[in-house]
Amino acid sequence: MREYLSNVLEGGQVLSIEEVLGNILIATVIGLVIYLSYWITHVGSVYSKKFNVSLVMLTLLTATVMIIIESNVALSLGMVGALSIVRYRTAIKDSRDTAYIFWAIIVGICCGTGGYIIAAIGTGAVFILLLLLGRVKNDNRMLLVIRGTREKSMEIEAIVFKVFENKAKLRVKNSTESSIEFIYEISKQSYDKSHKHTPDLLGHVYALGGIEYVNIVVQNDEIV
């Protein structure tokens, strides 16, 4: 029994230099496809050059680890224990980045174990899907921030309701002894529609008097 377990742990498929180079080369090529996909589907401040390069590196490193694990079962058990103590705390700006990380790891696993066809077909399918849907974004929202004297609170709420009707949702209402602040959330579509009927919104609000400031902020995937 002891000899059997020893043979299982010490045994494994020994890859030739050509096979190892082939695995690494294919992992590199597919990693560059992932790089291209990320570059196409991410624009603006969401795009990170360093993160994109890290995806290619992650693909190669995962493939390298899988080559070692495949050739030595005992070493794979020790490597699992060593890697389990590592914690990654990198902030993810876009939820799609998590999918790209899993994509790179899966491709590395497939290439490291010789599953080139699976890696190629899966990468092709994901690449086409992201090419079609990768630029989908959440709807932009507008935040209307108005600060003035407390005596004008009723008039501020009335003019906002008059311009936007029930499309403006009151999210925050801050007040002190002498001042009050309103923060309304409005969809971009509702804001554009109301802007056509009332293009001089700022003028109407400041005409009330006692207004300290009026801010209009766009809230989207890149600016929060």
Side-chain angles (χ1 to χ4, degrees), residues 106-123:
I106 292 171
V107 167
I109 293 174
C110 292
C111 292
T113 56
Y116 310 130
I117 297 178
I118 298 176
I121 294 176
T123 296

Side-chain angles (χ1 to χ4, degrees), residues 24 27 54-68 79 83 88 104-105 108-109 112:
I24 297 298
S54 299
L55 291 175
V56 182
M57 296 173 57
L58 182 60
T59 305
L60 296 179
L61 291 174
T62 305
T64 303
V65 170
M66 291 307 301
I67 292 173
I68 298 175
M79 187 169 296
L83 294 177
Y88 301 95
I105 293 175
I109 293 174

Side-chain angles (χ1 to χ4, degrees), residues 182-195:
F182 297 93
I183 300 180
Y184 290 93
E185 180 181 322
I186 311 163
S187 66
K188 185 65 166 57
Q189 183 180 1
S190 299
Y191 177 83
D192 293 338
K193 183 178 179 181
S194 300
H195 185 69

Side-chain angles (χ1 to χ4, degrees), residues 13-24 67 111 116:
Q13 181 182 0
V14 179
L15 300 180
S16 63
I17 298 298
E18 292 78 10
E19 290 175 324
V20 172
L21 292 177
N23 292 354
I24 297 298
I67 292 173
C111 292
Y116 310 130

Side-chain angles (χ1 to χ4, degrees), residues 8 30 76 99 101 110 119 122 157 179 215 223:
V8 171
I30 300 181
S76 67
I101 293 175
C110 292
E157 291 182 286
S179 64
N215 294 330
I223 303 174

Side-chain angles (χ1 to χ4, degrees), residues 13-14 19 30 35 37 52 57 65 69 90-91 93 95 105 108 113 119 127 140 151 155 180 192 203 205-206:
Q13 181 182 0
V14 179
E19 290 175 324
I30 300 181
Y35 179 96
S37 175
N52 203 2
M57 296 173 57
V65 170
I69 291 177
T90 303
K93 296 189 297 182
S95 58
I105 293 175
T113 56
F127 184 87
N140 290 342
E151 292 76 10
E155 298 178 45
I180 192 166
D192 293 338
V205 176
Y206 281 114

Side-chain angles (χ1 to χ4, degrees), residues 11 16 21 29 39 46-47 69 74 86 91 96-97 105 110-111 119 126-127 157 166 168 180 192 208 210 219 222:
S16 63
L21 292 177
V29 173
W39 178 69
V46 177
Y47 176 72
I69 291 177
V86 180
R96 292 174 297 177
D97 292 350
I105 293 175
C110 292
C111 292
V126 175
F127 184 87
E157 291 182 286
N166 59 344
I180 192 166
D192 293 338
L208 298 175
Q219 191 178 35
E222 299 184 20

